[in-house]
């Protein structure tokens, strides 16, 4: 007997092994096995199917499976089929999907994981609060939409009670005996949400994300296969890989978030889109919720592919925040800015602090200063491995590359002109925190960014201190823009809209609108109207006005006109082909050669080669090609041709050591 085995390696397809007579009775699809692979004596793989057909090529030596690790399947057929779809759609090896999907512990050894019993039943807990009339109408709307479309987009302004609606939808699904997957874009959000959900659903809720250790994740996985699985899984993108036995509802909260897309390594999947596919295969319903829909989802809703339900009022009739534009250019000219703060913002903060209210400040840059510059000769320390300046981190007394992690001491003097007074240029969250402490010495200030949230306890502490009022001011990167719900925030400050607007990306305005509206939505959620102070050098831009008036619709119409004109998504699908190599010459030749071959077939659909905004990372030069595919094009044929072209290129001796990969629907 033979077994086709999936291994966690970046090679296409499955590997055939012989099942020795002693193992024939215990080897089955879905079981893990130990097999020799390449130079390795032992690797853990997954049996996908057992059969009796020897390999077509008689020269192939078939090795034996050495051990069978399981007595029950650890991967369900539906999971494997979904992984297969992911590999095809996102143009990677299924071994890469397998590698990303399973907790490390389950990829290593035989595991017997003791599952602690679930104690509370749902009948023991505080029913969810009754819905407001507007929420009730939306709930009915979702049910009606589901009659015609399996996916419904819920476009509800911030604090309209989307989470309350999800709770009702979950309760209904549980009533029908179904399981629920609740996807969030960011770990930071899981804490608040699980508190809210646990109050209603108790122990029937499991949480799954990468800040839990491997053992905990393996336990969740095994529990989902058991006779008493969690009914609800709350998790970030990797939870789409978990086993579900009777999935009935998928909720994708903050569906517009870029974090749903995995950038590196492969599989470069979008968890929102995979979740929709997963739900459709399971016959489950999906709700995508957000205050600022992604253009892709809104387009799908408006063209009849998804249902659409809108909630235009905040819960309790609290007004949407009042957004004031602050013209930083003008204030600079009059020398009225105090570092990154306008007098208006400082005054608003002072008043709020005196009244015992809380403040959120958003600055989309971590570290102390985005770069160091000699103010005499202009020298800027740059990463030796990447085309970026180093970021100054004052707490650690070092300069760091945010792309490859390279770190070095701050030099005593400028190596070019020996000026001993090197200064940080610009404002990162660390520096904002310092300035605030100087201006408001009695205020308790906390910072939330990648540097302060390396562990689960660290970010939970930050959120708890802010929720309980221990902290007065929370400064942070895009992490503070997410769907957090705090009671006493009266002021939100957006320190600089410009860094967001000036990104070299056709989605820059869409993103900036999302981030600004989302962070604005943190203000004045429960009792009174909140205030948002939006600092910008370009107050005249329509996009700024649209944030002020919360006019998603006009913003969408205007930007979509551009997208249509240039055949950009969502009017086309993008496939990005990336090339990486240590040699600048080879990368030039390779990317041009690839373009030549592909242009013969794709014609004007092919753009490039060009350099991405950061054209060298970790010593590797990077080039890319963009293929714009219109909906009528056969995607599977186009994919085949792209994969063949990559194989042809890598077969050429000169390019052999290059790294070539695809990014489908890049964000
Ligand atoms: P969203 O997810 O749309 O931002 P939330 O669900 O977080 O909104 O609701 C905002 C706030 O209003 C929360 O504090 C929530 O508890 C409260 N809230 C919303 N709907 C209700 C309701 N029907 N009954 C009681 N409180 C509600
Ligand atoms: Zn100098
Ligand atoms: Zn670097």
């Amino acid at each position: 007997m033979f077994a086709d085995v999936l291994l966690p390696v970046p090679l296409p397809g499955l590997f055939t092994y012989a099942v020795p007579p002693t193992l024939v009775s215990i080897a089955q699809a879905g079981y893990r096995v130990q097999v020799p692979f390449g130079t390795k004596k032992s690797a853990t793989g997954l049996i996908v199917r057992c059969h009796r057909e020897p390999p077509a090529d008689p020269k192939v030596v078939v090795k034996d499976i050495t051990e069978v690790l399981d007595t029950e399947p650890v991967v369900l057929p539906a999971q494997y089929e979904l992984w297969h779809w992911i590999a095809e759609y996102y143009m990677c090896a299924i071994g890469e999907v397998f590698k990303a999907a399973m907790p490390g512990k389950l990829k290593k050894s035989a595991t017997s994981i003791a599952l602690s019993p679930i104690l509370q039943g749902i009948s023991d807990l505080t029913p969810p609060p009754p819905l407001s009339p507007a929420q009730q109408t939306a709930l009915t709307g979702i049910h009606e939409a589901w009659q015609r479309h399996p996916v419904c987009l819920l476009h509800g302004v911030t604090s309209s009670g989307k989470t309350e609606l999800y709770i009702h939808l979950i309760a209904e699904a549980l009533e029908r005996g179904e399981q629920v997957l609740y996807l969030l874009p960011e770990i930071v959000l899981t804490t608040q949400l699980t508190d809210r959900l646990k109050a209603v659903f108790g122990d029937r809720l499991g949480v799954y994300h990468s800040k839990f250790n491997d053992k905990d994740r393996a336990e969740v996985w095994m529990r989902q296969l058991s006779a008493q699985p969690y009914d609800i899984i709350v998790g970030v993108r990797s939870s789409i890989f978990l086993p579900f036995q009777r999935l009935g509802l998928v909720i994708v909260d903050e569906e517009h978030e870029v974090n749903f897309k995995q950038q590196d390594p492969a599989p470069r999947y979008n968890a929102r889109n995979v979740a929709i596919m997963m739900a459709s295969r399971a016959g489950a319903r999906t709700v995508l919720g957000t205050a600022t829909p992604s253009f892709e989802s809104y387009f799908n809703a408006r063209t009849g592919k998804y249902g659409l339900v809108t909630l235009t009022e905040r819960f309790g009739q609290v007004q949407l925040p009042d957004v004031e534009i602050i013209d930083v250019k003008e204030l600079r000219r009059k020398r009225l800015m105090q570092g990154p703060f306008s007098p208006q913002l400082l005054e608003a903060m002072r008043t709020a602090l005196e009244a015992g209210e809380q403040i959120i400040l958003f600055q989309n840059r971590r570290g102390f200063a985005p770069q160091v510059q000699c103010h005499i000769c202009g020298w800027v320390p740059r990463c030796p491995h990447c085309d970026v300046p180093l970021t100054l981190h004052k707490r650690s007394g070092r300069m760091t590359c945010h792309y490859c992690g390279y770190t070095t001491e701050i030099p005593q003097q400028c190596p070019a002109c020996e000026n001993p007074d090197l200064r940080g240029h610009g404002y990162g969250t660390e520096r904002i925190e310092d300035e605030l402490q100087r201006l408001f010495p009695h205020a308790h200030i906390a910072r939330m960014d990648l540097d302060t949230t390396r562990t689960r306890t660290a970010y939970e502490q930050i959120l708890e201190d802010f929720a309980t009022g221990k902290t007065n001011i929370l400064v942070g990167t895009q992490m503070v823009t997410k769907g957090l719900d705090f009671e006493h925030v009266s002021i939100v400050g957006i320190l600089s809209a410009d860094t967001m607007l000036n990104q070299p990306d056709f989605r820059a305005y869409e993103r900036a609108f999302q981030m600004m509206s989302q962070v604005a939505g943190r203000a004045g959620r429960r009792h009174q109207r909140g205030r948002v102070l939006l600092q910008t050098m370009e107050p005249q831009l329509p996009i700024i006005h649209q944030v002020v008036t919360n006019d998603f619709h006009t913003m969408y119409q205007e930007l979509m006109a551009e997208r249509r004109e240039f055949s950009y998504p969502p009017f086309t699908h993008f496939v990005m082909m990336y090339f990486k190599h240590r040699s600048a010459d080879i990368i030039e030749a390779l990317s041009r050669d690839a373009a030549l071959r592909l242009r013969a077939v794709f014609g004007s659909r092919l753009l490039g080669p060009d350099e991405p905004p950061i054209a060298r990372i970790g010593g590797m030069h990077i080039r890319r090609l963009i293929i714009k595919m219109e909906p009528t094009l056969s995607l599977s044929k186009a994919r085949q041709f792209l994969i063949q072209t990559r194989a042809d290129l890598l077969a050429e001796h000169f390019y052999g050591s290059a790294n070539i990969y695809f990014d489908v629907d890049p964000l």
Side-chain angles (χ1 to χ4, degrees):
M1 190 162 93
F2 298 94
D4 293 340
V5 173
L6 173 60
L7 288 163
V9 292
L11 297 169
L14 304 173
F15 300 86
T16 303
Y17 287 86
V19 187
T22 49
L23 299 180
V24 164
S25 63
I26 54 169
Q28 281 196 37
Y31 290 16
R32 288 165 310 148
V33 286
Q34 294 286 348
V35 293
F37 183 71
T39 55
K40 270 202 197 155
K41 260 222 182 83
S42 179
T44 305
L46 180 82
I47 301 183
V48 171
R49 69 184 85 81
C50 295
H51 56 85
R52 304 201 168 274
E53 304 143 37
D57 181 352
K59 286 198 294 292
V60 171
V61 184
V62 183
K63 294 181 192 161
D64 277 359
I65 287 176
T66 43
E67 200 186 336
V68 176
L69 299 178
D70 297 305
T71 53
E72 302 268 355
V74 293
V75 172
L76 303 175
Q79 277 174 286
Y80 175 75
E81 283 159 26
L82 185 70
W83 299 355
H84 188 74
W85 180 84
I86 293 172
E88 295 241 304
Y89 187 86
Y90 291 103
M91 300 172 78
C92 66
I94 187 161
E96 291 173 304
V97 184
F98 177 45
K99 190 168 177 207
M102 277 199 126
K105 195 173 168 65
L106 296 180
K107 280 186 307 232
K108 274 181 212 125
S109 55
T111 19
S112 67
I113 291 172
L115 304 178
S116 45
I118 294 186
L119 299 174
Q120 275 165 323
I122 191 162
S123 49
D124 317 331
L125 294 149
T126 53
L131 297 178
S132 70
Q135 290 170 344
Q136 188 56 53
T137 308
L139 186 70
T140 312
I142 293 172
H143 283 296
E144 280 170 10
W146 276 345
Q147 311 250 315
R148 273 164 288 122
H149 311 275
V151 182
C152 178
L153 175 65
L154 171 62
H155 179 195
V157 295
T158 52
S159 204
S160 54
K162 294 184 289 299
T163 316
E164 292 303 329
L165 279 182
Y166 304 149
I167 289 172
H168 281 255
L169 292 169
I170 294 170
E172 293 168 3
L174 263 48
E175 194 77 10
R176 293 191 296 267
E178 297 167 355
Q179 283 178 305
V180 179
L181 170 62
Y182 192 135
L183 272 182
L184 284 165
E186 176 114 33
I187 292 171
V188 168
L189 294 176
T190 56
T191 316
Q192 268 203 350
L193 181 76
T194 36
D195 288 351
R196 256 171 104 174
L197 293 185
K198 281 221 161 134
V200 184
F201 302 110
D203 277 359
R204 297 177 69 174
L205 174 94
V207 184
Y208 191 76
H209 61 62
S210 61
K211 293 253 158 105
F212 280 93
N213 66 36
D214 203 46
K215 184 178 149 286
D216 292 346
R217 279 189 291 155
E219 184 176 335
V220 174
W221 186 292
M222 295 311 282
R223 181 184 293 283
Q224 292 318 84
L225 292 165
S226 75
Q228 207 189 22
Y230 290 118
D231 291 315
I232 311 159
I233 290 285
V234 171
V236 295
R237 60 177 180 239
S238 58
S239 38
I240 53 131
F241 294 122
L242 281 171
F244 285 90
Q245 302 181 47
R246 38 192 170 76
L247 185 66
L249 171 66
V250 171
I251 296 165
V252 184
D253 198 10
E254 313 291 351
E255 69 83 26
H256 62 279
E257 278 286 345
V258 180
N259 280 10
F260 281 123
K261 179 74 162 62
Q262 165 140 325
Q263 304 293 357
D264 264 316
R268 297 176 176 82
Y269 65 102
N270 185 318
R272 176 195 64 206
N273 297 353
V274 174
I276 291 170
M277 177 49 71
M278 181 180 176
S280 118
R281 286 166 170 258
R285 304 280 182 226
T286 305
V287 57
L288 308 177
T290 176
T292 53
S294 66
F295 281 19
E296 277 77 4
S297 297
Y298 203 65
F299 181 71
N300 282 336
R302 291 182 45 103
T303 53
K305 201 170 158 195
Y306 298 166
L308 176 64
V309 169
T310 51
L311 253 177
T312 51
E313 65 180 57
R314 283 187 148 188
F315 177 72
Q317 266 89 42
V318 176
Q319 275 184 294
L320 278 167
D322 172 36
V323 185
E324 295 158 43
I325 306 173
I326 296 172
D327 184 346
V328 172
K329 213 185 242 167
E330 176 73 10
L331 290 167
R332 284 236 174 101
R333 206 173 50 76
K334 295 186 179 153
R335 300 187 177 281
L336 288 173
M337 288 295 284
Q338 286 202 38
F341 306 110
S342 60
Q344 294 94 317
L345 180 57
L346 288 178
E347 182 51 35
M349 288 173 70
R350 205 164 287 133
T351 315
L353 288 173
E354 272 162 21
E357 295 159 355
Q358 290 175 303
I359 298 157
I360 291 180
L361 293 183
F362 167 47
Q363 172 75 332
N364 210 16
R365 288 198 148 148
R366 68 188 171 96
F368 186 80
Q371 67 177 49
V372 174
Q373 191 173 27
C374 170
H375 65 281
I376 307 228
C377 76
W379 175 80
V380 173
R382 305 181 71 84
C383 177
H385 312 293
C386 311
D387 288 346
V388 287
L390 293 171
T391 301
L392 178 62
H393 287 253
K394 213 170 147 197
R395 301 278 186 288
S396 60
R398 313 190 70 123
M399 302 188 297
T400 302
C401 171
H402 284 182
Y403 290 85
C404 74
Y406 170 85
T407 295
T408 182
E409 303 277 324
I410 303 165
Q412 299 290 333
Q413 57 181 40
C414 171
C417 76
E418 298 184 354
N419 159 30
D421 180 24
L422 288 176
R423 293 179 200 167
H425 218 71
Y427 290 88
T429 43
E430 238 183 46
R431 189 168 185 182
I432 306 266
E433 191 190 7
D434 282 8
E435 297 274 313
L436 283 173
Q437 201 65 76
R438 200 172 52 75
L439 291 162
F440 303 102
H442 302 296
H444 292 274
I445 300 160
R447 171 163 60 95
M448 189 157 76
D449 57 28
L450 204 64
D451 299 310
T452 62
T453 54
R454 303 257 178 213
T455 66
R456 180 150 64 99
T457 40
Y459 73 73
E460 283 178 357
Q461 193 63 50
I462 296 173
L463 292 180
E464 192 187 310
D465 288 350
F466 197 62
T468 56
K470 240 191 198 169
T471 309
N472 311 112
I473 309 174
L474 182 66
V475 185
T477 53
Q478 35 81 31
M479 277 184 194
V480 301
T481 70
K482 312 287 155 122
L484 295 165
D485 182 33
F486 297 111
E487 209 169 334
H488 301 290
V489 177
S490 63
I491 301 291
V492 162
I494 299 170
L495 292 174
S496 166
D498 312 302
T499 39
M500 288 180 270
L501 295 170
N502 296 334
Q503 296 293 322
D505 179 335
F506 72 89
R507 285 194 177 85
Y509 279 28
E510 179 189 352
R511 292 257 171 78
F513 182 90
Q514 287 163 352
M515 274 195 265
M516 290 192 271
S517 312
Q518 290 288 344
V519 74
R522 302 312 112 211
R525 287 171 71 86
R526 300 279 172 93
H527 309 293
Q528 74 198 68
R529 191 173 192 198
R531 259 181 93 191
V532 178
L533 293 102
L534 194 176
Q535 301 188 160
T536 176
M537 303 271 274
E538 297 181 89
Q540 77 292 348
L541 286 178
I543 187 91
I544 298 288
H545 183 69
Q546 287 150 6
V547 172
V548 172
T549 51
N550 195 35
D551 191 353
F552 175 84
H553 203 72
T554 306
M555 190 260 325
Y556 175 80
Q557 297 289 3
E558 286 187 16
L559 296 180
M560 282 292 270
E562 274 174 33
R563 303 270 182 103
R564 182 180 279 118
E565 189 181 336
F566 296 106
S567 307
Y568 277 176
F571 297 100
T572 53
H573 276 282
F574 271 14
V575 174
M576 206 85 96
M577 189 172 188
Y578 276 95
F579 304 86
K580 291 191 179 174
H581 203 282
R582 293 208 168 271
S583 150
D585 292 340
I586 293 179
I587 205 72
E588 266 319 300
L590 168 61
S591 55
R592 280 166 199 279
D593 190 349
L596 209 65
R597 294 177 196 216
L598 294 177
R599 194 156 276 132
V601 167
F602 290 113
S604 62
R605 293 185 188 93
L606 187 85
L607 306 178
D610 74 348
E611 296 186 358
I614 296 160
R616 191 175 56 110
I617 295 179
M620 301 292 259
H621 294 273
I622 312 167
R623 293 289 182 280
R624 60 182 187 186
L625 292 168
I626 299 170
I627 301 107
K628 292 199 275 190
M629 303 203 198
E630 67 273 19
T632 49
L633 195 74
S634 159
L635 291 182
S636 66
K637 269 201 196 135
R639 278 199 178 83
Q640 262 174 21
F641 177 66
L642 285 167
I643 287 174
Q644 188 56 48
T645 307
R646 171 175 63 180
D648 293 348
L649 288 163
L650 289 175
E652 304 236 347
H653 180 66
F654 188 56
Y655 305 140
S657 56
N659 179 4
I660 306 177
Y661 63 83
F662 300 100
D663 189 0
V664 180
D665 301 334
L667 284 181

